[in-house]
mmCIF file of all heavy atoms in Angstrom:
data_model
loop_
_atom_site.group_PDB
_atom_site.id
_atom_site.type_symbol
_atom_site.label_atom_id
_atom_site.label_comp_id
_atom_site.label_asym_id
_atom_site.label_seq_id
_atom_site.Cartn_x
_atom_site.Cartn_y
_atom_site.Cartn_z
ATOM 1 N N ALA X 150 -24.399 74.150 -148.713
ATOM 2 C CA ALA X 150 -24.213 72.902 -149.415
ATOM 3 C C ALA X 150 -23.708 73.104 -150.781
ATOM 4 O O ALA X 150 -23.385 72.206 -151.509
ATOM 5 C CB ALA X 150 -25.681 72.254 -149.567
ATOM 6 N N GLY X 151 -23.338 74.395 -151.120
ATOM 7 C CA GLY X 151 -22.745 74.762 -152.388
ATOM 8 C C GLY X 151 -23.692 74.820 -153.517
ATOM 9 O O GLY X 151 -23.358 74.848 -154.670
ATOM 10 N N GLU X 152 -24.994 74.934 -153.155
ATOM 11 C CA GLU X 152 -26.122 74.871 -154.221
ATOM 12 C C GLU X 152 -26.587 76.269 -154.501
ATOM 13 O O GLU X 152 -27.555 76.379 -155.465
ATOM 14 C CB GLU X 152 -27.228 74.012 -153.765
ATOM 15 C CG GLU X 152 -26.824 72.568 -153.517
ATOM 16 C CD GLU X 152 -27.782 71.718 -152.740
ATOM 17 O OE1 GLU X 152 -28.837 72.340 -152.426
ATOM 18 O OE2 GLU X 152 -27.515 70.514 -152.537
ATOM 19 N N ARG X 153 -26.217 77.349 -153.757
ATOM 20 C CA ARG X 153 -26.873 78.615 -153.927
ATOM 21 C C ARG X 153 -25.657 79.657 -153.862
ATOM 22 O O ARG X 153 -24.842 79.571 -153.037
ATOM 23 C CB ARG X 153 -27.811 78.921 -152.844
ATOM 24 C CG ARG X 153 -28.423 80.387 -152.871
ATOM 25 C CD ARG X 153 -29.510 80.504 -151.839
ATOM 26 N NE ARG X 153 -30.662 79.826 -152.204
ATOM 27 C CZ ARG X 153 -31.698 80.312 -153.015
ATOM 28 N NH1 ARG X 153 -31.524 81.552 -153.508
ATOM 29 N NH2 ARG X 153 -32.737 79.714 -153.282
ATOM 30 N N LYS X 154 -25.807 80.683 -154.810
ATOM 31 C CA LYS X 154 -24.829 81.721 -154.784
ATOM 32 C C LYS X 154 -25.556 83.114 -154.640
ATOM 33 O O LYS X 154 -24.906 84.087 -154.440
ATOM 34 C CB LYS X 154 -24.023 81.716 -156.105
ATOM 35 C CG LYS X 154 -23.099 80.554 -156.159
ATOM 36 C CD LYS X 154 -22.381 80.467 -157.448
ATOM 37 C CE LYS X 154 -21.462 79.209 -157.532
ATOM 38 N NZ LYS X 154 -20.771 79.112 -158.714
ATOM 39 N N VAL X 155 -26.846 83.116 -154.821
ATOM 40 C CA VAL X 155 -27.583 84.385 -154.735
ATOM 41 C C VAL X 155 -28.770 84.139 -153.771
ATOM 42 O O VAL X 155 -29.511 83.213 -153.937
ATOM 43 C CB VAL X 155 -28.173 84.854 -156.168
ATOM 44 C CG1 VAL X 155 -28.945 86.060 -156.042
ATOM 45 C CG2 VAL X 155 -26.941 85.011 -157.071
ATOM 46 N N PHE X 156 -28.912 85.081 -152.856
ATOM 47 C CA PHE X 156 -30.040 85.037 -151.966
ATOM 48 C C PHE X 156 -31.117 85.967 -152.524
ATOM 49 O O PHE X 156 -30.881 87.066 -153.108
ATOM 50 C CB PHE X 156 -29.706 85.513 -150.602
ATOM 51 C CG PHE X 156 -28.823 84.522 -149.889
ATOM 52 C CD1 PHE X 156 -27.404 84.494 -150.114
ATOM 53 C CD2 PHE X 156 -29.221 83.584 -149.032
ATOM 54 C CE1 PHE X 156 -26.537 83.542 -149.492
ATOM 55 C CE2 PHE X 156 -28.417 82.694 -148.408
ATOM 56 C CZ PHE X 156 -27.055 82.708 -148.638
ATOM 57 N N ASP X 157 -32.404 85.532 -152.340
ATOM 58 C CA ASP X 157 -33.539 86.395 -152.824
ATOM 59 C C ASP X 157 -34.547 86.515 -151.654
ATOM 60 O O ASP X 157 -35.612 85.954 -151.674
ATOM 61 C CB ASP X 157 -34.088 85.900 -154.042
ATOM 62 C CG ASP X 157 -34.585 84.450 -154.016
ATOM 63 O OD1 ASP X 157 -34.330 83.793 -153.033
ATOM 64 O OD2 ASP X 157 -35.234 84.070 -154.951
ATOM 65 N N LEU X 158 -34.181 87.189 -150.627
ATOM 66 C CA LEU X 158 -34.907 87.504 -149.443
ATOM 67 C C LEU X 158 -35.343 88.987 -149.319
ATOM 68 O O LEU X 158 -34.429 89.807 -149.644
ATOM 69 C CB LEU X 158 -34.172 86.995 -148.201
ATOM 70 C CG LEU X 158 -33.901 85.482 -148.086
ATOM 71 C CD1 LEU X 158 -32.823 85.310 -147.028
ATOM 72 C CD2 LEU X 158 -35.104 84.789 -147.723
ATOM 73 N N PRO X 159 -36.439 89.266 -148.894
ATOM 74 C CA PRO X 159 -36.677 90.651 -148.466
ATOM 75 C C PRO X 159 -35.955 91.087 -147.280
ATOM 76 O O PRO X 159 -35.997 90.290 -146.312
ATOM 77 C CB PRO X 159 -38.172 90.713 -148.340
ATOM 78 C CG PRO X 159 -38.635 89.294 -147.959
ATOM 79 C CD PRO X 159 -37.620 88.415 -148.597
ATOM 80 N N LEU X 160 -35.234 92.189 -147.366
ATOM 81 C CA LEU X 160 -34.392 92.572 -146.212
ATOM 82 C C LEU X 160 -34.796 93.985 -145.790
ATOM 83 O O LEU X 160 -35.274 94.837 -146.630
ATOM 84 C CB LEU X 160 -32.907 92.689 -146.687
ATOM 85 C CG LEU X 160 -32.292 91.411 -147.263
ATOM 86 C CD1 LEU X 160 -30.883 91.710 -147.660
ATOM 87 C CD2 LEU X 160 -32.299 90.247 -146.167
ATOM 88 N N VAL X 161 -34.704 94.229 -144.537
ATOM 89 C CA VAL X 161 -34.939 95.633 -144.006
ATOM 90 C C VAL X 161 -33.847 95.921 -143.106
ATOM 91 O O VAL X 161 -33.300 95.080 -142.216
ATOM 92 C CB VAL X 161 -36.403 95.706 -143.300
ATOM 93 C CG1 VAL X 161 -36.434 94.794 -142.144
ATOM 94 C CG2 VAL X 161 -36.596 97.138 -142.839
ATOM 95 N N PHE X 162 -33.214 97.089 -143.254
ATOM 96 C CA PHE X 162 -32.040 97.401 -142.503
ATOM 97 C C PHE X 162 -32.337 98.387 -141.366
ATOM 98 O O PHE X 162 -33.356 99.133 -141.414
ATOM 99 C CB PHE X 162 -30.982 98.082 -143.438
ATOM 100 C CG PHE X 162 -30.494 97.197 -144.576
ATOM 101 C CD1 PHE X 162 -30.644 97.688 -145.881
ATOM 102 C CD2 PHE X 162 -29.857 96.012 -144.303
ATOM 103 C CE1 PHE X 162 -30.293 96.830 -146.887
ATOM 104 C CE2 PHE X 162 -29.504 95.283 -145.342
ATOM 105 C CZ PHE X 162 -29.647 95.585 -146.645
ATOM 106 N N SER X 163 -31.582 98.324 -140.305
ATOM 107 C CA SER X 163 -31.727 99.183 -139.163
ATOM 108 C C SER X 163 -30.613 100.093 -138.830
ATOM 109 O O SER X 163 -29.806 99.808 -137.920
ATOM 110 C CB SER X 163 -32.107 98.391 -137.870
ATOM 111 O OG SER X 163 -31.097 97.525 -137.605
ATOM 112 N N GLY X 164 -30.332 101.052 -139.709
ATOM 113 C CA GLY X 164 -29.250 101.883 -139.604
ATOM 114 C C GLY X 164 -29.456 103.281 -139.984
ATOM 115 O O GLY X 164 -30.597 103.680 -140.318
ATOM 116 N N THR X 165 -28.373 103.985 -140.079
ATOM 117 C CA THR X 165 -28.495 105.409 -140.470
ATOM 118 C C THR X 165 -28.752 105.398 -142.039
ATOM 119 O O THR X 165 -28.536 104.347 -142.671
ATOM 120 C CB THR X 165 -27.308 106.182 -140.246
ATOM 121 O OG1 THR X 165 -26.159 105.602 -140.884
ATOM 122 C CG2 THR X 165 -26.905 106.268 -138.708
ATOM 123 N N GLU X 166 -29.017 106.494 -142.575
ATOM 124 C CA GLU X 166 -29.166 106.595 -144.066
ATOM 125 C C GLU X 166 -27.794 106.193 -144.764
ATOM 126 O O GLU X 166 -27.881 105.396 -145.733
ATOM 127 C CB GLU X 166 -29.447 107.960 -144.473
ATOM 128 C CG GLU X 166 -29.740 108.268 -145.911
ATOM 129 C CD GLU X 166 -30.082 109.612 -146.268
ATOM 130 O OE1 GLU X 166 -30.634 110.414 -145.373
ATOM 131 O OE2 GLU X 166 -29.862 110.027 -147.336
ATOM 132 N N PHE X 167 -26.690 106.614 -144.212
ATOM 133 C CA PHE X 167 -25.416 106.174 -144.817
ATOM 134 C C PHE X 167 -25.220 104.677 -144.677
ATOM 135 O O PHE X 167 -24.795 104.008 -145.606
ATOM 136 C CB PHE X 167 -24.217 106.883 -144.136
ATOM 137 C CG PHE X 167 -22.917 106.450 -144.605
ATOM 138 C CD1 PHE X 167 -22.479 106.951 -145.860
ATOM 139 C CD2 PHE X 167 -22.122 105.675 -143.868
ATOM 140 C CE1 PHE X 167 -21.194 106.517 -146.342
ATOM 141 C CE2 PHE X 167 -20.800 105.259 -144.336
ATOM 142 C CZ PHE X 167 -20.388 105.733 -145.480
ATOM 143 N N GLN X 168 -25.501 104.062 -143.530
ATOM 144 C CA GLN X 168 -25.322 102.659 -143.300
ATOM 145 C C GLN X 168 -26.253 101.891 -144.301
ATOM 146 O O GLN X 168 -25.726 100.902 -144.882
ATOM 147 C CB GLN X 168 -25.674 102.177 -141.851
ATOM 148 C CG GLN X 168 -24.595 102.665 -140.883
ATOM 149 C CD GLN X 168 -25.063 102.391 -139.437
ATOM 150 O OE1 GLN X 168 -26.211 102.660 -139.114
ATOM 151 N NE2 GLN X 168 -24.158 101.981 -138.545
ATOM 152 N N ASN X 169 -27.376 102.346 -144.359
ATOM 153 C CA ASN X 169 -28.334 101.636 -145.359
ATOM 154 C C ASN X 169 -27.771 101.744 -146.778
ATOM 155 O O ASN X 169 -27.916 100.727 -147.556
ATOM 156 C CB ASN X 169 -29.755 102.234 -145.300
ATOM 157 C CG ASN X 169 -30.470 101.898 -143.957
ATOM 158 O OD1 ASN X 169 -30.061 100.925 -143.214
ATOM 159 N ND2 ASN X 169 -31.450 102.698 -143.597
ATOM 160 N N MET X 170 -27.198 102.881 -147.115
ATOM 161 C CA MET X 170 -26.650 103.011 -148.465
ATOM 162 C C MET X 170 -25.529 101.977 -148.678
ATOM 163 O O MET X 170 -25.377 101.296 -149.715
ATOM 164 C CB MET X 170 -26.154 104.454 -148.678
ATOM 165 C CG MET X 170 -25.538 104.711 -150.133
ATOM 166 S SD MET X 170 -25.060 106.480 -150.303
ATOM 167 C CE MET X 170 -23.674 106.528 -149.171
ATOM 168 N N VAL X 171 -24.703 101.851 -147.691
ATOM 169 C CA VAL X 171 -23.535 100.934 -147.745
ATOM 170 C C VAL X 171 -24.021 99.498 -147.830
ATOM 171 O O VAL X 171 -23.592 98.747 -148.658
ATOM 172 C CB VAL X 171 -22.621 101.070 -146.563
ATOM 173 C CG1 VAL X 171 -21.547 100.048 -146.475
ATOM 174 C CG2 VAL X 171 -21.953 102.560 -146.584
ATOM 175 N N TRP X 172 -24.980 99.167 -146.953
ATOM 176 C CA TRP X 172 -25.552 97.710 -147.079
ATOM 177 C C TRP X 172 -26.159 97.436 -148.376
ATOM 178 O O TRP X 172 -25.934 96.322 -148.940
ATOM 179 C CB TRP X 172 -26.416 97.516 -145.866
ATOM 180 C CG TRP X 172 -25.778 97.534 -144.585
ATOM 181 C CD1 TRP X 172 -24.522 97.187 -144.217
ATOM 182 C CD2 TRP X 172 -26.321 98.017 -143.273
ATOM 183 N NE1 TRP X 172 -24.222 97.416 -142.867
ATOM 184 C CE2 TRP X 172 -25.373 97.891 -142.292
ATOM 185 C CE3 TRP X 172 -27.581 98.500 -142.926
ATOM 186 C CZ2 TRP X 172 -25.453 98.326 -140.997
ATOM 187 C CZ3 TRP X 172 -27.786 98.937 -141.649
ATOM 188 C CH2 TRP X 172 -26.788 98.754 -140.601
ATOM 189 N N ASN X 173 -26.910 98.365 -148.935
ATOM 190 C CA ASN X 173 -27.479 98.101 -150.171
ATOM 191 C C ASN X 173 -26.356 97.963 -151.271
ATOM 192 O O ASN X 173 -26.487 97.269 -152.291
ATOM 193 C CB ASN X 173 -28.485 99.198 -150.652
ATOM 194 C CG ASN X 173 -29.807 98.936 -149.955
ATOM 195 O OD1 ASN X 173 -30.415 97.979 -150.226
ATOM 196 N ND2 ASN X 173 -30.355 99.857 -149.139
ATOM 197 N N GLY X 174 -25.386 98.749 -151.137
ATOM 198 C CA GLY X 174 -24.194 98.703 -152.065
ATOM 199 C C GLY X 174 -23.554 97.333 -152.019
ATOM 200 O O GLY X 174 -23.140 96.776 -152.993
ATOM 201 N N LEU X 175 -23.356 96.797 -150.833
ATOM 202 C CA LEU X 175 -22.776 95.510 -150.599
ATOM 203 C C LEU X 175 -23.567 94.416 -151.273
ATOM 204 O O LEU X 175 -22.992 93.486 -151.797
ATOM 205 C CB LEU X 175 -22.588 95.107 -149.142
ATOM 206 C CG LEU X 175 -21.623 96.143 -148.388
ATOM 207 C CD1 LEU X 175 -21.629 95.734 -146.901
ATOM 208 C CD2 LEU X 175 -20.238 95.928 -148.993
ATOM 209 N N LEU X 176 -24.924 94.580 -151.434
ATOM 210 C CA LEU X 176 -25.723 93.546 -152.089
ATOM 211 C C LEU X 176 -25.457 93.486 -153.596
ATOM 212 O O LEU X 176 -25.744 92.531 -154.286
ATOM 213 C CB LEU X 176 -27.172 93.978 -151.803
ATOM 214 C CG LEU X 176 -27.717 93.789 -150.374
ATOM 215 C CD1 LEU X 176 -29.115 94.428 -150.314
ATOM 216 C CD2 LEU X 176 -27.656 92.319 -149.970
ATOM 217 N N ARG X 177 -24.857 94.554 -154.158
ATOM 218 C CA ARG X 177 -24.630 94.503 -155.510
ATOM 219 C C ARG X 177 -23.214 93.873 -155.864
ATOM 220 O O ARG X 177 -22.860 93.841 -157.079
ATOM 221 C CB ARG X 177 -24.658 95.946 -156.126
ATOM 222 C CG ARG X 177 -26.136 96.565 -156.106
ATOM 223 C CD ARG X 177 -26.207 97.830 -156.746
ATOM 224 N NE ARG X 177 -25.527 98.985 -156.113
ATOM 225 C CZ ARG X 177 -26.173 99.677 -155.085
ATOM 226 N NH1 ARG X 177 -27.414 99.374 -154.752
ATOM 227 N NH2 ARG X 177 -25.476 100.683 -154.535
ATOM 228 N N ILE X 178 -22.452 93.434 -154.899
ATOM 229 C CA ILE X 178 -21.189 92.705 -155.235
ATOM 230 C C ILE X 178 -21.524 91.320 -155.501
ATOM 231 O O ILE X 178 -22.088 90.628 -154.649
ATOM 232 C CB ILE X 178 -20.280 92.831 -154.038
ATOM 233 C CG1 ILE X 178 -20.009 94.424 -153.708
ATOM 234 C CG2 ILE X 178 -18.951 92.170 -154.388
ATOM 235 C CD1 ILE X 178 -19.237 94.596 -152.437
ATOM 236 N N PRO X 179 -21.239 90.843 -156.643
ATOM 237 C CA PRO X 179 -21.541 89.404 -157.004
ATOM 238 C C PRO X 179 -20.827 88.421 -156.240
ATOM 239 O O PRO X 179 -19.705 88.667 -155.642
ATOM 240 C CB PRO X 179 -21.219 89.255 -158.501
ATOM 241 C CG PRO X 179 -20.900 90.711 -158.955
ATOM 242 C CD PRO X 179 -20.598 91.555 -157.832
ATOM 243 N N TYR X 180 -21.388 87.211 -156.110
ATOM 244 C CA TYR X 180 -20.780 86.068 -155.442
ATOM 245 C C TYR X 180 -19.321 85.849 -155.959
ATOM 246 O O TYR X 180 -19.059 85.854 -157.194
ATOM 247 C CB TYR X 180 -21.562 84.884 -155.666
ATOM 248 C CG TYR X 180 -20.981 83.607 -155.098
ATOM 249 C CD1 TYR X 180 -21.200 83.195 -153.839
ATOM 250 C CD2 TYR X 180 -20.184 82.705 -155.868
ATOM 251 C CE1 TYR X 180 -20.698 82.031 -153.301
ATOM 252 C CE2 TYR X 180 -19.660 81.604 -155.359
ATOM 253 C CZ TYR X 180 -19.921 81.201 -154.071
ATOM 254 O OH TYR X 180 -19.462 80.048 -153.552
ATOM 255 N N GLY X 181 -18.318 85.638 -155.111
ATOM 256 C CA GLY X 181 -16.982 85.345 -155.541
ATOM 257 C C GLY X 181 -16.150 86.613 -155.855
ATOM 258 O O GLY X 181 -15.007 86.436 -156.169
ATOM 259 N N VAL X 182 -16.729 87.733 -155.850
ATOM 260 C CA VAL X 182 -15.976 88.958 -156.178
ATOM 261 C C VAL X 182 -15.550 89.733 -154.905
ATOM 262 O O VAL X 182 -16.330 89.760 -154.026
ATOM 263 C CB VAL X 182 -16.812 89.841 -157.106
ATOM 264 C CG1 VAL X 182 -16.151 91.263 -157.274
ATOM 265 C CG2 VAL X 182 -17.141 89.281 -158.362
ATOM 266 N N THR X 183 -14.361 90.194 -154.875
ATOM 267 C CA THR X 183 -14.025 91.029 -153.725
ATOM 268 C C THR X 183 -13.647 92.381 -154.250
ATOM 269 O O THR X 183 -13.123 92.561 -155.316
ATOM 270 C CB THR X 183 -12.811 90.465 -152.929
ATOM 271 O OG1 THR X 183 -11.734 90.225 -153.844
ATOM 272 C CG2 THR X 183 -13.159 89.076 -152.328
ATOM 273 N N ILE X 184 -13.907 93.400 -153.394
ATOM 274 C CA ILE X 184 -13.500 94.771 -153.768
ATOM 275 C C ILE X 184 -12.928 95.411 -152.442
ATOM 276 O O ILE X 184 -13.313 95.000 -151.262
ATOM 277 C CB ILE X 184 -14.631 95.666 -154.386
ATOM 278 C CG1 ILE X 184 -15.758 95.870 -153.336
ATOM 279 C CG2 ILE X 184 -15.145 94.931 -155.673
ATOM 280 C CD1 ILE X 184 -16.810 96.869 -153.803
ATOM 281 N N SER X 185 -12.190 96.425 -152.515
ATOM 282 C CA SER X 185 -11.659 97.086 -151.413
ATOM 283 C C SER X 185 -12.709 98.069 -150.824
ATOM 284 O O SER X 185 -13.720 98.417 -151.504
ATOM 285 C CB SER X 185 -10.336 97.918 -151.789
ATOM 286 O OG SER X 185 -10.716 99.006 -152.637
ATOM 287 N N TYR X 186 -12.460 98.473 -149.643
ATOM 288 C CA TYR X 186 -13.298 99.569 -149.035
ATOM 289 C C TYR X 186 -13.291 100.818 -149.811
ATOM 290 O O TYR X 186 -14.262 101.461 -150.039
ATOM 291 C CB TYR X 186 -12.934 99.843 -147.552
ATOM 292 C CG TYR X 186 -13.151 98.727 -146.632
ATOM 293 C CD1 TYR X 186 -12.078 98.183 -145.828
ATOM 294 C CD2 TYR X 186 -14.381 98.316 -146.344
ATOM 295 C CE1 TYR X 186 -12.305 97.127 -144.944
ATOM 296 C CE2 TYR X 186 -14.588 97.265 -145.386
ATOM 297 C CZ TYR X 186 -13.697 96.733 -144.673
ATOM 298 O OH TYR X 186 -13.868 95.729 -143.827
ATOM 299 N N GLY X 187 -12.106 101.116 -150.401
ATOM 300 C CA GLY X 187 -11.984 102.389 -151.124
ATOM 301 C C GLY X 187 -12.789 102.311 -152.401
ATOM 302 O O GLY X 187 -13.467 103.186 -152.849
ATOM 303 N N GLU X 188 -12.774 101.100 -153.032
ATOM 304 C CA GLU X 188 -13.644 100.858 -154.310
ATOM 305 C C GLU X 188 -15.104 100.972 -153.995
ATOM 306 O O GLU X 188 -15.841 101.600 -154.699
ATOM 307 C CB GLU X 188 -13.372 99.575 -154.931
ATOM 308 C CG GLU X 188 -13.971 99.307 -156.252
ATOM 309 C CD GLU X 188 -13.590 98.079 -156.906
ATOM 310 O OE1 GLU X 188 -12.606 97.406 -156.600
ATOM 311 O OE2 GLU X 188 -14.281 97.711 -157.960
ATOM 312 N N GLU X 189 -15.535 100.392 -152.892
ATOM 313 C CA GLU X 189 -16.913 100.526 -152.542
ATOM 314 C C GLU X 189 -17.411 101.881 -152.178
ATOM 315 O O GLU X 189 -18.455 102.359 -152.599
ATOM 316 C CB GLU X 189 -17.222 99.494 -151.296
ATOM 317 C CG GLU X 189 -18.638 99.650 -150.829
ATOM 318 C CD GLU X 189 -19.683 99.051 -151.898
ATOM 319 O OE1 GLU X 189 -19.311 98.570 -152.922
ATOM 320 O OE2 GLU X 189 -20.820 99.214 -151.587
ATOM 321 N N ALA X 190 -16.509 102.637 -151.525
ATOM 322 C CA ALA X 190 -16.761 103.998 -151.252
ATOM 323 C C ALA X 190 -16.928 104.825 -152.565
ATOM 324 O O ALA X 190 -17.811 105.672 -152.543
ATOM 325 C CB ALA X 190 -15.662 104.669 -150.343
ATOM 326 N N SER X 191 -16.073 104.586 -153.465
ATOM 327 C CA SER X 191 -16.078 105.324 -154.735
ATOM 328 C C SER X 191 -17.380 104.974 -155.409
ATOM 329 O O SER X 191 -18.000 105.805 -156.100
ATOM 330 C CB SER X 191 -14.890 104.951 -155.638
ATOM 331 O OG SER X 191 -13.753 105.504 -155.060
ATOM 332 N N ARG X 192 -17.750 103.673 -155.375
ATOM 333 C CA ARG X 192 -18.990 103.194 -156.106
ATOM 334 C C ARG X 192 -20.193 103.869 -155.580
ATOM 335 O O ARG X 192 -21.163 104.154 -156.249
ATOM 336 C CB ARG X 192 -19.211 101.652 -155.960
ATOM 337 C CG ARG X 192 -18.290 100.867 -156.808
ATOM 338 C CD ARG X 192 -18.649 99.355 -156.598
ATOM 339 N NE ARG X 192 -17.849 98.599 -157.458
ATOM 340 C CZ ARG X 192 -18.091 97.269 -157.610
ATOM 341 N NH1 ARG X 192 -19.034 96.707 -156.942
ATOM 342 N NH2 ARG X 192 -17.232 96.500 -158.320
ATOM 343 N N LEU X 193 -20.128 104.203 -154.197
ATOM 344 C CA LEU X 193 -21.272 104.853 -153.609
ATOM 345 C C LEU X 193 -21.269 106.350 -153.685
ATOM 346 O O LEU X 193 -22.184 107.024 -153.245
ATOM 347 C CB LEU X 193 -21.342 104.458 -152.068
ATOM 348 C CG LEU X 193 -21.550 103.020 -151.733
ATOM 349 C CD1 LEU X 193 -21.265 102.719 -150.217
ATOM 350 C CD2 LEU X 193 -22.958 102.478 -152.202
ATOM 351 N N GLY X 194 -20.267 106.839 -154.328
ATOM 352 C CA GLY X 194 -20.128 108.341 -154.495
ATOM 353 C C GLY X 194 -19.594 109.080 -153.270
ATOM 354 O O GLY X 194 -19.804 110.277 -153.163
ATOM 355 N N CYS X 195 -18.952 108.302 -152.358
ATOM 356 C CA CYS X 195 -18.363 108.813 -151.151
ATOM 357 C C CYS X 195 -16.967 108.386 -150.909
ATOM 358 O O CYS X 195 -16.606 107.682 -149.973
ATOM 359 C CB CYS X 195 -19.325 108.422 -150.006
ATOM 360 S SG CYS X 195 -21.002 108.646 -150.061
ATOM 361 N N PRO X 196 -16.043 108.829 -151.834
ATOM 362 C CA PRO X 196 -14.720 108.226 -151.774
ATOM 363 C C PRO X 196 -13.938 108.522 -150.547
ATOM 364 O O PRO X 196 -12.981 107.809 -150.186
ATOM 365 C CB PRO X 196 -14.004 108.923 -153.051
ATOM 366 C CG PRO X 196 -14.922 110.108 -153.358
ATOM 367 C CD PRO X 196 -16.212 109.784 -152.936
#
Side-chain angles (χ1 to χ4, degrees):
E152 301 165 357
R153 176 176 287 275
K154 294 181 180 175
V155 176
F156 290 85
D157 56 353
L158 295 163
L160 304 175
V161 62
F162 300 119
S163 60
T165 65
E166 184 178 334
F167 177 75
Q168 287 171 321
N169 292 339
M170 180 179 68
V171 170
W172 293 327
N173 278 301
L175 294 175
L176 292 172
R177 292 189 289 276
I178 302 171
Y180 176 87
V182 173
T183 58
I184 65 171
S185 69
Y186 289 121
E188 185 177 346
E189 179 63 6
S191 292
R192 287 180 177 191
L193 296 172
C195 306

